[in-house]
Amino acid sequence: QVQLVESGGGLVQPGRSLRLTCAASGSIFIITSMGWYRQAPGKQRELVAAVTSGGTTNYADSVKGRFTISRDAAKNTIYLQMNSLKPEDTAVYYCNAESKAGPYTPRENSWGQGTQVTVSS
């Protein structure tokens, strides 16, 4: 079982920045990918950004050029640097990880508890 702990959310004015952190712990042999999703009230959860174990990144079109995902593989931690924030970025941000507890175990999908990001003047 993998635990994901998120931090860094909060209230910020439009145009400002925030950095989210997600640390994974538990039964980890390998993390194949980690990423951030968000869910705004009344909307479906959507992918924001993800990074694979090989370092390949993927971003939602709405955040390209403003958000940057990075990882510290040694610490099983990812970061989401969010710049030029907009009110429409307001949502609960969830960390997600795909991992394996051993070389022959099935892939697991884990979620964090979520952290609120509110962009408002």
Side-chain angles (χ1 to χ4, degrees):
Q1 195 171 7
V2 174
Q3 294 80 43
L4 302 176
V5 178
E6 302 129 330
S7 61
L11 172 64
V12 65
Q13 293 179 331
R16 303 299 291 268
S17 299
L18 276 178
R19 189 174 86 150
L20 305 183
T21 300
C22 174
S25 63
S27 301
I28 299 172
F29 170 72
I30 186 172
I31 294 178
T32 55
S33 70
M34 288 184 75
W36 293 95
Y37 288 71
R38 67 185 180 187
Q39 188 167 19
K43 295 187 176 181
Q44 289 189 331
R45 191 173 296 188
E46 62 176 359
L47 173 69
V48 177
V51 58
T52 69
S53 57
T56 301
T57 57
N58 183 35
Y59 294 93
D61 287 342
S62 59
V63 306
K64 284 180 180 177
R66 300 188 297 122
F67 291 9
T68 302
I69 189 169
S70 60
R71 67 190 180 105
D72 184 334
K75 295 181 179 180
N76 290 327
T77 298
I78 60 169
Y79 309 92
L80 185 67
Q81 179 65 42
M82 305 185 292
N83 298 329
S84 303
L85 282 160
K86 304 176 180 180
E88 50 264 43
D89 294 318
T90 296
V92 178
Y93 284 70
Y94 296 91
C95 181
N96 173 265
E98 288 192 350
S99 62
K100 298 182 68 174
Y104 307 110
T105 60
R107 193 169 295 181
E108 301 175 31
N109 193 44
S110 305
W111 292 93
Q113 79 284 358
T115 185
Q116 177 70 47
V117 171
T118 302
V119 184
S120 175
S121 54

